[in-house]
């Protein structure tokens, strides 16, 4: 399979998943400021899930420039990433409707961690086939302190969620997104423009 065909498939499925996240967003019972305010956890869950998936898509988009070949293992790893990603709309609704519920937050965290681990396997499978990948900043990210920090934040969120405060899982994903995942991408944007 060509890398373009796999990239197009991944892009299409992620676009559909991101669209489903917003389609699950219900209208307020009445059009008032109070009704909109009551939907704040739903809006927050939607925003975090959308931008988390978006950041994953940006990483993959940047990564594909350095990939020359796609092996069968990479195709299967991409399918696993997409499978777990397709669960994001479901767990997003679960969390938004039950923000302080341990089960909802653990399900959300389990899916987020499953996508994270599937992504790691996906990138490693491309490294096996493409020797040029060693030039990538993604290699540092997936094997270095950034990945460890990302996983530590999410794992800590899961532990706090189960033991003390259920919303900790959601907030750990937001912190990881804003502190670990997005800043390197923004720096690359500045470097590209500068």
């Amino acid at each position: 399979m060509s890398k373009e065909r796999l990239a197009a498939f991944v892009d299409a499925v992620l676009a559909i998943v991101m669209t489903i996240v917003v389609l699950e967003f219900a209208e307020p019972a009445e059009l008032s400021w109070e009704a909109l305010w009551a939907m704040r956890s739903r809006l927050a869950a939607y925003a975090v899930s959308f931008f988390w998936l978006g950041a994953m898509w940006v990483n993959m988009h940047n990564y594909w420039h350095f990939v020359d070949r796609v092996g069968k293992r990479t195709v299967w790893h991409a399918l696993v990433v997409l499978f777990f990603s397709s669960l994001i709309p479901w767990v997003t609704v679960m969390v938004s409707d039950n923000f302080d519920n341990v089960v909802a937050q653990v399900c959300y965290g389990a899916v987020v961690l499953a996508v994270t681990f599937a992504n790691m396997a996906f990138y490693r499978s491309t490294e096996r086939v493409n020797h040029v990948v060693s030039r990538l900043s993604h290699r540092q990210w997936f094997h270095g302190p950034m990945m460890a920090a990302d996983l530590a934040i999410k794992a800590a969120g899961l532990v706090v969620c189960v033991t003390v405060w259920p919303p900790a899982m959601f907030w750990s994903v937001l912190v990881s997104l804003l502190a670990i995942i997005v800043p390197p991408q923004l720096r690359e944007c500045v470097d590209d423009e500068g």
Side-chain angles (χ1 to χ4, degrees), residues 20 56 60 92 97 140 145 176 182 192:
I20 292 171
M56 182 174 73
M60 286 183 167
T92 299
D97 289 344
Q140 285 178 292
S176 175
V182 172
D192 289 345

Side-chain angles (χ1 to χ4, degrees), residues 173-192:
V173 174
L174 178 62
V175 167
S176 175
L177 179 67
L178 295 178
I180 305 294
I181 298 169
V182 172
Q185 292 179 3
L186 293 178
R187 279 193 296 276
E188 286 180 17
C189 291
V190 171
D191 291 346
D192 289 345

Side-chain angles (χ1 to χ4, degrees), residues 101-184:
N101 184 285
V102 172
V103 174
Q105 291 285 351
V106 167
C107 288
Y108 186 76
V111 170
V112 165
L113 286 167
V115 172
T116 301
F117 286 118
N119 257 321
M120 291 169 58
F122 167 77
Y123 286 114
R124 286 189 181 125
S125 72
T126 59
E127 288 178 7
R128 288 186 185 110
V129 180
N130 296 275
H131 302 293
V132 295
V133 176
S134 62
R135 305 184 304 215
L136 291 172
S137 63
H138 293 285
R139 183 174 173 82
Q140 285 178 292
W141 199 90
F142 279 99
H143 298 288
M146 298 298 276
M147 187 70 218
D150 177 63
L151 289 172
I153 290 169
K154 291 172 186 169
L158 191 57
V159 169
V160 173
C161 165
V162 170
T163 59
V164 181
W165 186 52
M169 188 64 234
F170 170 82
W171 291 109
S172 70
V173 174
L174 178 62
V175 167
S176 175
L177 179 67
L178 295 178
I180 305 294
I181 298 169
V182 172

Side-chain angles (χ1 to χ4, degrees), residues 1-15 56-67 69-71 74-75 78-79 82 122 126:
M1 179 180 297
S2 69
K3 77 171 192 175
E4 289 81 13
R5 185 167 182 199
L6 182 60
F9 177 70
V10 169
D11 286 353
V13 173
L14 285 178
M56 182 174 73
W57 177 81
V58 169
N59 270 337
M60 286 183 167
H61 171 75
N62 292 334
Y63 188 78
W64 283 113
H65 293 293
F66 298 97
V67 173
R69 297 180 307 155
V70 174
T74 301
V75 174
L79 284 175
L82 294 175
F122 167 77
T126 59

